Amino acid sequence: MQRTRIKELLQSTAYGSTVCVKGWVRTRRGSKSVNFIALNDGSTIHNVQVVADTDKFDAELLKLVTTGACLSVEGTLVESQGSGQNVEVQATHIEVLGTCGADYPMQKKGQSFEYMRQHAHMRLRTNTFGAVFRIRHNMAMAIHQYFHEHGFYYFHTPIITASDCEGAGQMFQVTTQNLYNLEKTDDGKINYANDFFGKATSLTVSGQLEGELGATALGAIYTFGPTFRAENSNTPRHLAEFWMIEPEMAFYDIHDNMDLAEEFIKYCVRWALEHCADDLVFLNKMVDKTLLERLHSVVENDFVRLTYTEGIEILEAAVKQGHKFEFPVHWGIDLASEHERYLVEEHFKKPVILTGYPKEIKAFYMKMNEDGKTVRAMDVLFPQIGEIIGGSEREADYDKLLARIQELDIPMKDMWWYLDTRRWGSCPHSGFGLGFERLILFVTGMQNIRDVIPFPRTPKNAEF
Ligand code: ATP
Ligand code: MN
């Protein structure tokens, strides 16, 4: 008999009809005469209640109905009185597809997220992680939908790259050489000539440079793919492997770029409110009681826009008034998360877009402002998260870009193709990068980035 997903079953009013549901047991309780089994199949946060009259079933079979076991149930759909749902299933036939012993690590309720990380292969079956990963899927759909509706093309940039000049972070090397017997050149360096690509290669830290090639041909593109950073940042906001969305647009200046970032992120949050209501209500209750309020607030309010210099002034004033930061504040610093969060959470109580950063702390490709000191960078700062987006208007002038490349000693052998965009038909253009997991952190109210990607990769951790 055809299985009905629990999500659809719970909407049904076909009382009296025979149905089949399959899923994993969340709980079983009951009396001598009747058992109540809460069954979940991952299609929704909600369980369906299966009612089993004990005189209709073999006692040995019912003993196998333990938390975590997998069942196939046939029965009659009936109107429910006590299950919290409209319907329940009066079981006529129960088959145990997979038993589950007491050593099942997700047996107990209320385990810490830290504990569940040790069992990340099984945590997916819990209510919280089910909710998080259904929302993660929905956010991916929202992103594609937004860009598709707005005339952006999904553009695939390479994961293996030979340019190590992006400067966004330490890179993981890619090689097929025998690491026990590395070929060296006469001057003692590693000889990549016989390596797979004939040169040193790594995993990409960003698709931006290739994205610019796409934007200056197709008009507007976005990437959405994995990125890798080998920096040893053991924080709740950094992964070694994360997913990034990078739109890149011809003919956009920094203001258009900010408008896009704000509209886009609001679209995603609104999508979550519309499409993930049940999961959000659950997370709001169990994980973070201010989640829904925060999501609505982001959708309903304009983001604050100010310059880095103004931001520093606010932070300096806070220090004067006695606010203690771990790291010192003065013009020129790269803002720490505590500074970003002060601006967003304490001062403005709204998302903030900071622009006009000192050129020294930003990448070489950003367009210089008239002052010669700051660049047209923009970081979008979010409550609870800090930086969620980093972007800029790109330097479109060949001579200025080349001068900056030389000033920073970036190897030209890697950059010739990038500079060609400025040689032939250069145009003003802009783009940004949104960390997908940081968006999921925001939308779910989870605290640790390791808990919003199914199988996190962090320093000293590549299990599963
Ligand atoms: P941060 O200062 O937080 O380390 P960044 O300035 O190095 O970030 P960018 O190079 O600007 O990051 O990358 C664009 C976006 O990618 C960031 O705004 C952030 O949302 C996300 N991101 C960057 N590094 C990581 C990481 N290690 N793990 C998860 N997301 C990241
Ligand atoms: Mn950044």
Side-chain angles (χ1 to χ4, degrees):
M1 167 176 203
Q2 168 105 39
R3 166 176 91 108
T4 308
R5 296 193 326 147
I6 291 171
K7 184 178 182 184
E8 279 89 48
L9 192 84
L10 294 176
Q11 317 278 322
S12 172
T13 50
Y15 308 124
S17 61
T18 304
V19 295
C20 170
V21 285
K22 299 181 185 187
W24 295 271
V25 176
R26 286 288 204 258
T27 55
R28 177 174 68 116
R29 57 190 179 80
S31 61
K32 264 209 182 93
S33 60
V34 62
N35 276 196
F36 299 103
I37 305 162
L39 204 66
N40 188 283
D41 67 0
S43 61
T44 159
I45 188 81
H46 300 298
N47 306 324
V48 68
Q49 175 157 286
V50 174
V51 183
D53 294 331
T54 48
D55 59 1
K56 291 203 198 116
F57 295 93
D58 182 355
E60 291 306 308
L61 175 94
L62 288 180
K63 267 191 208 156
L64 298 177
V65 179
T66 55
T67 296
C70 188
L71 306 186
S72 174
V73 176
E74 280 179 31
T76 313
L77 193 70
V78 295
E79 214 167 342
S80 176
Q81 264 85 52
S83 75
Q85 307 296 347
N86 295 327
V87 294
E88 59 191 35
V89 175
Q90 185 72 49
T92 50
H93 180 80
I94 296 177
E95 184 186 349
V96 178
L97 299 176
T99 58
C100 186
D103 53 352
Y104 174 52
M106 299 295 128
Q107 183 84 241
K108 286 205 198 91
K109 281 194 168 178
Q111 298 280 16
S112 71
F113 289 138
E114 179 131 7
Y115 168 86
M116 290 204 257
R117 243 171 263 147
Q118 315 293 314
H119 305 276
H121 59 313
M122 285 294 134
R123 67 178 178 170
L124 309 171
R125 292 203 201 157
T126 64
N127 285 333
T128 299
F129 287 94
V132 167
F133 294 122
R134 278 187 296 273
I135 292 172
R136 188 177 162 109
H137 159 80
N138 269 282
M139 287 298 88
M141 301 307 288
I143 288 162
H144 286 301
Q145 186 67 28
Y146 178 88
F147 287 123
H148 181 65
E149 274 173 12
H150 289 79
F152 289 64
Y153 298 105
Y154 183 25
F155 188 68
H156 293 105
T157 51
I159 288 172
I160 299 175
T161 173
S163 59
D164 59 358
C165 47
E166 223 281 279
Q170 290 288 102
M171 303 178 91
F172 290 100
Q173 297 176 51
V174 175
T175 180
T176 52
Q177 295 201 63
N178 179 355
L179 297 180
Y180 293 100
N181 188 17
L182 279 177
E183 252 184 70
K184 300 277 176 65
T185 56
D186 291 340
D187 52 355
K189 295 203 173 113
I190 295 169
N191 181 11
Y192 288 102
N194 295 326
D195 204 343
F196 191 91
F197 294 106
K199 53 164 102 174
T201 49
S202 325
L203 297 180
T204 185
V205 293
S206 158
Q208 180 200 316
L209 301 188
E210 290 91 350
E212 288 185 46
L213 302 178
T216 55
L218 300 168
I221 62 93
Y222 68 105
T223 71
F224 187 170
T227 19
F228 307 87
R229 297 197 184 173
E231 58 207 333
N232 200 357
S233 318
N234 239 318
T235 81
R237 313 260 172 275
H238 290 91
L239 291 163
E241 176 181 303
F242 65 100
W243 288 68
M244 188 146 62
I245 298 95
E246 294 181 280
E248 193 70 37
M249 302 73 64
F251 318 118
Y252 272 51
D253 68 13
I254 186 72
H255 303 287
D256 303 324
N257 204 16
M258 286 191 274
D259 292 344
L260 176 72
E262 181 167 346
E263 188 188 288
F264 164 62
I265 216 160
K266 284 179 171 170
Y267 180 96
C268 292
V269 175
R270 216 177 295 120
W271 182 288
L273 288 166
E274 279 167 20
H275 293 83
C276 311
D278 289 357
D279 287 322
L280 289 176
V281 166
F282 173 83
L283 292 170
N284 191 72
K285 192 167 140 211
M286 304 303 289
V287 173
D288 179 346
K289 300 249 181 317
T290 58
L291 173 63
L292 284 170
E293 186 189 315
R294 217 163 42 245
L295 298 184
H296 283 289
S297 153
V298 159
V299 169
E300 284 153 21
N301 288 295
D302 288 341
F303 296 4
V304 176
R305 300 183 186 190
L306 77 162
T307 64
Y308 168 92
T309 303
E310 290 164 330
I312 290 288
E313 282 163 10
I314 292 169
L315 293 169
E316 283 176 335
V319 170
K320 269 212 187 98
Q321 278 160 26
H323 191 93
K324 295 263 180 291
F325 291 112
E326 190 185 338
F327 299 101
V329 177
H330 56 84
W331 200 94
I333 60 159
D334 200 356
L335 296 180
S337 174
E338 56 170 347
H339 305 133
E340 296 172 341
R341 293 182 64 172
Y342 178 86
L343 292 174
V344 174
E345 289 165 24
E346 319 244 341
H347 191 83
F348 290 110
K349 300 190 168 42
K350 281 184 201 174
V352 171
I353 310 184
L354 269 190
T355 52
Y357 281 80
K359 66 175 189 219
E360 287 79 14
I361 58 171
K362 288 291 178 187
F364 72 94
Y365 48 71
M366 297 189 181
K367 187 174 169 69
M368 193 76 69
N369 279 320
E370 290 70 30
D371 62 12
K373 286 187 349 198
T374 60
V375 289
R376 285 191 199 171
M378 56 166 226
D379 279 8
V380 180
L381 312 178
F382 254 48
Q384 306 277 313
I385 310 293
E387 180 185 331
I388 193 165
I389 281 179
S392 69
E393 183 171 344
R394 318 306 189 190
E395 183 55 75
D397 183 273
Y398 181 88
D399 295 321
K400 286 185 188 158
L401 185 61
L402 183 63
R404 192 74 184 126
I405 287 175
Q406 288 167 345
E407 204 177 339
L408 294 173
D409 248 343
I410 295 167
M412 275 307 290
K413 67 169 177 27
D414 292 333
M415 293 313 294
W416 63 273
W417 54 269
Y418 181 68
L419 274 162
D420 278 356
T421 51
R422 279 64 167 176
R423 271 174 73 184
W424 295 312
S426 186
C427 70
H429 62 288
S430 297
F432 62 79
L434 166 73
F436 189 47
E437 287 75 19
R438 299 228 180 138
L439 175 68
I440 308 301
L441 274 178
F442 179 72
V443 172
T444 59
M446 299 295 282
Q447 294 291 319
N448 193 312
I449 201 162
R450 291 162 182 79
D451 297 334
V452 296
I453 187 166
F455 306 106
R457 297 290 178 255
T458 51
K460 301 282 180 288
N461 176 43
E463 194 72 33
F464 313 113

